Amino acid sequence: MSSPKNVALVVGAHGIAGLNLIEHLEALGGWEVIGLSRRGGEGRAGVRFIPVDLLDAADSREKLSGLTQVTHIFYAAYQDRPTPAELVAPNVAMLVNVVNAVEPVARNLQHINLMQGYKVYGAHLGPFKTPARETDAHHMPPEFNVEQQDFLEQRQQGKAWTWSALRPSVVVGYAMGTPMNAGLAISVYASMSKELGLPLRFPGPPAAYDILMDVTDARLLAHAMLWAATSPKAANQAFNINNGDQFRWSELWPKIARMFDLEVAPPLPMSLVDVMADKAPLWDRMVAKHGLAPTPYTDINPWRHAQGVFSLNFDFLADPSKARRHGFPGHIETETMFREVFEDYRHRKVIP
């Protein structure tokens, strides 16, 4: 008898984590993939998409109650809100609605993987203990990441399936139409600087230029998601996932500039949200001039997130050694990651 087929339910299929996971599972083979998002998507061999409003419990039950073959849930959906308190209700509700709809009918459910981040450690609030470790105490609530994990821990009691939670740093990789994408922001910002004959200026304050930080390759994160979902050693635990090295922008930024054949000028603090707001005509000219993929400038919307990343004025890093001790071997040099990400955007004709 053949073993049951692995069926991955990827929640947040068009985000940077979900998209890269789907591409990884496609490349591996042996997985059927179902992607969830508000906008759905065009399916292909082995991958289908379901449009669903996860904030609507009734719509979630209607769209997901037939997913009886799901073996692994990868939860990477996110709804942004202005304050930490406002983030709790929608983000917890979406996870609850997915689990309530799928878990009772998916008789061979083996694992639920939850995407978190350094917000668990209070990184969004200000300077936090670094390197952050999974054993660090939680900060004063509200914190939706913690409430999501609490929900999974309680729901898993007495069940055959297990859970895991991954905590990446700033995730860098390919994705379009998602607001949390520093790799796309740098790619477009550098390409526009070159088009305008300008040097590449770091757009954050001087203090941010010299902090120590880490990032997470989206492809590496996809490998970690699959490892955590299929390794018994990772069951019912949380893990920091980053590239495994640290850097300062003051050292890396000139290297990024050389990747675009640009000179470097001193940092100049600026609001990327403001300075990039009027760049649609420039973008359209670049698309026509360089024969780029016809991407609407409205799909280039990572500026608020990137502005936050470039404005960090405190060390931003976590210890990834727990995952290594539990068997995850993945790592990548951050300079190499950026070079490969930029080449990927060029290959896909997103930038010249």
Side-chain angles (χ1 to χ4, degrees):
M1 295 178 61
S2 61
S3 59
K5 186 174 184 178
N6 290 319
V7 180
L9 182 66
V10 181
V11 187
H14 297 299
I16 191 167
L19 175 64
N20 281 271
L21 174 63
I22 290 174
E23 291 190 350
H24 178 50
L25 295 176
E26 284 186 280
L28 280 178
W31 284 82
E32 178 185 341
V33 179
I34 304 167
L36 303 185
S37 71
R38 290 183 64 92
R39 53 181 158 145
E42 184 175 346
R44 50 193 181 268
V47 181
R48 65 186 175 103
F49 295 94
I50 299 175
V52 57
D53 180 2
L54 296 178
L55 289 172
D56 186 329
D59 190 49
S60 299
R61 286 193 302 271
E62 179 183 347
K63 301 287 182 59
L64 309 182
S65 60
L67 302 181
T68 59
Q69 302 304 310
V70 167
T71 58
H72 298 76
I73 298 175
F74 297 92
Y75 187 89
Y78 174 74
Q79 280 274 330
D80 197 18
R81 293 293 188 274
T83 68
E86 292 173 279
L87 283 168
V88 174
N91 285 287
V92 172
M94 290 193 298
L95 175 62
V96 171
N97 288 341
V98 169
V99 174
N100 283 347
V102 177
E103 188 220 22
V105 300
R107 300 302 182 187
N108 195 34
L109 181 65
Q110 299 173 33
H111 192 84
I112 300 178
N113 177 255
L114 174 65
M115 189 58 55
Q116 295 182 321
Y118 290 3
K119 283 185 177 181
V120 171
Y121 305 119
H124 57 305
L125 302 175
F128 62 106
K129 184 188 80 63
T130 56
R133 294 185 173 88
E134 295 88 346
T135 52
D136 291 347
H138 295 317
H139 61 80
M140 180 71 74
E143 178 48 58
F144 77 90
N145 287 275
V146 173
E147 295 208 20
Q148 286 179 324
Q149 183 175 325
D150 286 345
F151 165 73
L152 284 184
E153 289 186 32
Q154 294 168 17
R155 185 66 170 255
Q156 188 272 336
Q157 294 298 314
K159 305 294 178 59
W161 56 269
T162 58
W163 64 269
S164 60
L166 298 189
R167 298 171 180 174
S169 181
V170 175
V171 181
V172 179
Y174 174 77
M176 301 298 295
T178 176
M180 301 176 69
N181 192 341
L184 177 62
I186 296 174
S187 298
V188 174
Y189 174 67
S191 297
M192 286 185 170
S193 296
K194 187 172 184 177
E195 191 73 16
L196 294 171
L198 300 173
L200 189 65
R201 293 184 181 272
F202 181 76
Y209 206 43
D210 287 311
I211 67 164
L212 193 63
M213 72 175 295
D214 56 34
V215 293
T216 303
D217 184 338
R219 300 161 302 177
L220 180 74
L221 181 59
H223 283 260
M225 293 168 76
L226 184 57
W227 163 78
T230 57
S231 171
K233 291 184 178 180
N236 302 329
Q237 298 185 69
F239 297 93
N240 296 327
I241 301 293
N242 56 49
N243 288 356
D245 62 1
Q246 299 84 41
F247 67 93
R248 302 182 196 276
W249 288 115
S250 56
E251 178 186 12
L252 184 60
W253 199 255
K255 296 177 181 179
I256 290 176
R258 288 195 290 273
M259 295 174 194
F260 289 86
D261 296 320
L262 288 170
E263 298 296 323
V264 177
L268 181 64
M270 65 184 83
S271 167
L272 289 176
V273 174
D274 292 339
V275 301
M276 304 306 286
D278 68 342
K279 296 300 186 290
L282 171 61
W283 177 252
D284 291 341
R285 292 197 299 272
M286 291 172 62
V287 170
K289 175 181 176 181
H290 298 286
L292 303 180
T295 307
Y297 191 62
T298 51
D299 282 356
I300 312 293
N301 60 343
W303 307 117
R304 187 173 301 280
H305 173 68
Q307 182 175 312
V309 171
F310 296 136
S311 297
L312 292 169
N313 59 5
F314 49 85
D315 289 350
F316 189 93
L317 64 155
D319 176 10
S321 64
K322 179 184 175 184
R324 308 292 187 267
R325 293 193 302 272
H326 283 71
F328 178 62
H331 60 87
I332 185 172
E333 181 189 41
T334 293
E335 180 184 344
T336 299
M337 176 207 70
F338 273 112
R339 182 179 294 108
E340 292 177 355
V341 167
F342 299 148
E343 286 303 315
D344 190 22
Y345 276 112
R346 292 186 180 110
H347 176 73
R348 298 177 194 250
K349 292 192 173 296
V350 175
I351 60 172

Short mmCIF file of all heavy atoms in Angstrom, two decimals, residues 120-121 129 131-138 149 165 167 237-241 318-325:
data_model
loop_
_atom_site.label_atom_id
_atom_site.label_comp_id
_atom_site.label_asym_id
_atom_site.label_seq_id
_atom_site.Cartn_x
_atom_site.Cartn_y
_atom_site.Cartn_z
N VAL A 120 7.47 38.74 19.09
CA VAL A 120 7.33 37.96 20.32
C VAL A 120 8.25 38.51 21.41
O VAL A 120 7.91 38.48 22.60
CB VAL A 120 7.64 36.48 20.05
CG1 VAL A 120 7.72 35.69 21.34
CG2 VAL A 120 6.59 35.87 19.13
N TYR A 121 9.39 39.05 20.98
CA TYR A 121 10.38 39.56 21.93
C TYR A 121 10.24 41.06 22.19
O TYR A 121 11.05 41.63 22.92
CB TYR A 121 11.79 39.27 21.41
CG TYR A 121 12.01 37.81 21.10
CD1 TYR A 121 12.34 37.38 19.81
CD2 TYR A 121 11.88 36.83 22.09
CE1 TYR A 121 12.55 36.04 19.53
CE2 TYR A 121 12.07 35.49 21.81
CZ TYR A 121 12.40 35.10 20.53
OH TYR A 121 12.58 33.77 20.25
N LYS A 129 16.15 42.65 24.46
CA LYS A 129 17.33 41.86 24.80
C LYS A 129 17.82 41.11 23.57
O LYS A 129 17.06 40.39 22.93
CB LYS A 129 17.00 40.86 25.91
CG LYS A 129 18.23 40.08 26.38
CD LYS A 129 17.85 38.96 27.34
CE LYS A 129 17.33 37.73 26.62
NZ LYS A 129 18.34 37.10 25.74
N PRO A 131 21.26 38.72 21.92
CA PRO A 131 20.38 38.04 20.97
C PRO A 131 19.17 37.44 21.67
O PRO A 131 19.29 36.86 22.75
CB PRO A 131 21.28 36.94 20.39
CG PRO A 131 22.29 36.67 21.47
CD PRO A 131 22.53 37.99 22.15
N ALA A 132 18.01 37.60 21.06
CA ALA A 132 16.78 37.05 21.64
C ALA A 132 16.81 35.53 21.55
O ALA A 132 17.31 34.96 20.57
CB ALA A 132 15.57 37.59 20.89
N ARG A 133 16.29 34.88 22.59
CA ARG A 133 16.23 33.43 22.62
C ARG A 133 14.81 32.97 22.91
O ARG A 133 14.03 33.70 23.54
CB ARG A 133 17.20 32.87 23.67
CG ARG A 133 18.66 33.14 23.33
CD ARG A 133 19.60 32.49 24.32
NE ARG A 133 21.00 32.63 23.88
CZ ARG A 133 21.78 33.68 24.18
NH1 ARG A 133 21.30 34.66 24.94
NH2 ARG A 133 23.02 33.73 23.73
N GLU A 134 14.50 31.78 22.48
CA GLU A 134 13.14 31.25 22.61
C GLU A 134 12.70 31.14 24.07
O GLU A 134 11.50 31.11 24.36
CB GLU A 134 13.05 29.88 21.94
CG GLU A 134 13.26 29.90 20.43
CD GLU A 134 14.72 29.78 20.02
OE1 GLU A 134 15.62 29.93 20.89
OE2 GLU A 134 14.98 29.54 18.82
N THR A 135 13.65 31.08 24.98
CA THR A 135 13.33 30.97 26.41
C THR A 135 13.09 32.33 27.07
O THR A 135 12.75 32.39 28.25
CB THR A 135 14.48 30.26 27.15
OG1 THR A 135 15.71 30.92 26.83
CG2 THR A 135 14.56 28.79 26.74
N ASP A 136 13.26 33.43 26.33
CA ASP A 136 13.05 34.76 26.91
C ASP A 136 11.60 34.94 27.35
O ASP A 136 10.67 34.44 26.69
CB ASP A 136 13.40 35.86 25.89
CG ASP A 136 14.89 35.92 25.60
OD1 ASP A 136 15.66 35.29 26.35
OD2 ASP A 136 15.27 36.60 24.62
N ALA A 137 11.42 35.66 28.44
CA ALA A 137 10.06 35.92 28.93
C ALA A 137 9.30 36.79 27.93
O ALA A 137 9.89 37.63 27.25
CB ALA A 137 10.12 36.61 30.29
N HIS A 138 7.98 36.59 27.87
CA HIS A 138 7.14 37.43 27.02
C HIS A 138 7.07 38.84 27.58
O HIS A 138 7.30 39.07 28.77
CB HIS A 138 5.73 36.85 26.91
CG HIS A 138 5.68 35.52 26.22
ND1 HIS A 138 6.39 35.24 25.08
CD2 HIS A 138 4.99 34.38 26.52
CE1 HIS A 138 6.15 34.00 24.70
NE2 HIS A 138 5.32 33.45 25.56
N GLN A 149 -0.05 31.43 19.54
CA GLN A 149 0.64 30.24 20.02
C GLN A 149 -0.10 29.62 21.19
O GLN A 149 -0.22 28.38 21.27
CB GLN A 149 2.07 30.59 20.43
CG GLN A 149 2.88 29.37 20.88
CD GLN A 149 4.33 29.71 21.17
OE1 GLN A 149 4.92 30.56 20.51
NE2 GLN A 149 4.90 29.05 22.17
N ALA A 165 6.26 26.81 15.93
CA ALA A 165 6.21 28.25 15.66
C ALA A 165 7.60 28.70 15.22
O ALA A 165 8.58 28.41 15.90
CB ALA A 165 5.76 29.01 16.90
N ARG A 167 10.16 31.89 14.17
CA ARG A 167 10.35 33.31 14.44
C ARG A 167 11.47 33.85 13.56
O ARG A 167 12.63 33.91 13.98
CB ARG A 167 10.64 33.51 15.92
CG ARG A 167 9.50 33.04 16.81
CD ARG A 167 9.84 33.02 18.28
NE ARG A 167 8.69 32.55 19.06
CZ ARG A 167 8.73 32.32 20.37
NH1 ARG A 167 9.86 32.52 21.06
NH2 ARG A 167 7.64 31.88 20.99
N GLN A 237 7.23 23.19 19.63
CA GLN A 237 8.26 24.12 20.05
C GLN A 237 8.32 25.32 19.12
O GLN A 237 7.80 25.29 18.01
CB GLN A 237 9.63 23.44 20.07
CG GLN A 237 9.74 22.28 21.03
CD GLN A 237 11.14 21.73 21.06
OE1 GLN A 237 12.08 22.38 21.55
NE2 GLN A 237 11.32 20.55 20.52
N ALA A 238 9.00 26.37 19.59
CA ALA A 238 9.25 27.56 18.79
C ALA A 238 10.73 27.66 18.47
O ALA A 238 11.58 27.23 19.26
CB ALA A 238 8.80 28.81 19.55
N PHE A 239 11.04 28.23 17.30
CA PHE A 239 12.43 28.32 16.85
C PHE A 239 12.68 29.66 16.16
O PHE A 239 11.90 30.08 15.30
CB PHE A 239 12.75 27.21 15.84
CG PHE A 239 12.65 25.82 16.41
CD1 PHE A 239 11.47 25.09 16.29
CD2 PHE A 239 13.73 25.23 17.06
CE1 PHE A 239 11.37 23.81 16.81
CE2 PHE A 239 13.64 23.95 17.58
CZ PHE A 239 12.46 23.23 17.46
N ASN A 240 13.79 30.31 16.53
CA ASN A 240 14.27 31.45 15.76
C ASN A 240 14.87 30.93 14.45
O ASN A 240 15.62 29.94 14.45
CB ASN A 240 15.35 32.20 16.53
CG ASN A 240 14.83 32.83 17.81
OD1 ASN A 240 13.67 33.26 17.87
ND2 ASN A 240 15.67 32.91 18.82
N ILE A 241 14.57 31.61 13.36
CA ILE A 241 15.13 31.24 12.05
C ILE A 241 15.69 32.50 11.40
O ILE A 241 14.94 33.43 11.08
CB ILE A 241 14.07 30.60 11.14
CG1 ILE A 241 13.46 29.35 11.78
CG2 ILE A 241 14.67 30.28 9.77
CD1 ILE A 241 14.43 28.19 11.94
N ALA A 318 18.53 37.66 16.82
CA ALA A 318 18.13 36.54 17.68
C ALA A 318 19.09 35.38 17.49
O ALA A 318 19.75 35.24 16.45
CB ALA A 318 16.70 36.10 17.36
N ASP A 319 19.16 34.54 18.48
CA ASP A 319 20.03 33.37 18.47
C ASP A 319 19.33 32.23 17.74
O ASP A 319 18.28 31.76 18.17
CB ASP A 319 20.33 32.97 19.92
CG ASP A 319 21.15 31.70 20.04
OD1 ASP A 319 21.66 31.22 19.00
OD2 ASP A 319 21.28 31.18 21.17
N PRO A 320 19.91 31.75 16.62
CA PRO A 320 19.27 30.66 15.87
C PRO A 320 19.75 29.27 16.26
O PRO A 320 19.41 28.29 15.59
CB PRO A 320 19.69 30.98 14.43
CG PRO A 320 21.08 31.51 14.59
CD PRO A 320 21.10 32.27 15.91
N SER A 321 20.54 29.16 17.33
CA SER A 321 21.22 27.89 17.60
C SER A 321 20.28 26.77 18.05
O SER A 321 20.60 25.59 17.89
CB SER A 321 22.33 28.09 18.64
OG SER A 321 21.79 28.48 19.89
N LYS A 322 19.11 27.12 18.61
CA LYS A 322 18.20 26.05 19.04
C LYS A 322 17.77 25.20 17.84
O LYS A 322 17.75 23.97 17.92
CB LYS A 322 16.97 26.63 19.74
CG LYS A 322 15.98 25.55 20.19
CD LYS A 322 14.72 26.14 20.78
CE LYS A 322 13.70 25.05 21.10
NZ LYS A 322 12.42 25.60 21.61
N ALA A 323 17.43 25.86 16.73
CA ALA A 323 17.05 25.10 15.54
C ALA A 323 18.20 24.22 15.06
O ALA A 323 17.99 23.07 14.65
CB ALA A 323 16.62 26.05 14.42
N ARG A 324 19.42 24.74 15.12
CA ARG A 324 20.57 23.93 14.71
C ARG A 324 20.72 22.71 15.62
O ARG A 324 20.97 21.60 15.16
CB ARG A 324 21.86 24.77 14.78
CG ARG A 324 21.81 26.11 14.05
CD ARG A 324 21.74 25.98 12.55
NE ARG A 324 21.86 27.27 11.90
CZ ARG A 324 20.82 28.04 11.54
NH1 ARG A 324 19.59 27.62 11.76
NH2 ARG A 324 21.03 29.20 10.95
N ARG A 325 20.54 22.93 16.92
CA ARG A 325 20.69 21.81 17.87
C ARG A 325 19.62 20.75 17.66
O ARG A 325 19.81 19.58 17.98
CB ARG A 325 20.63 22.33 19.31
CG ARG A 325 21.81 23.20 19.71
CD ARG A 325 21.85 23.42 21.22
NE ARG A 325 20.65 24.03 21.75
CZ ARG A 325 20.45 25.35 21.84
NH1 ARG A 325 21.38 26.19 21.38
NH2 ARG A 325 19.34 25.82 22.36
#
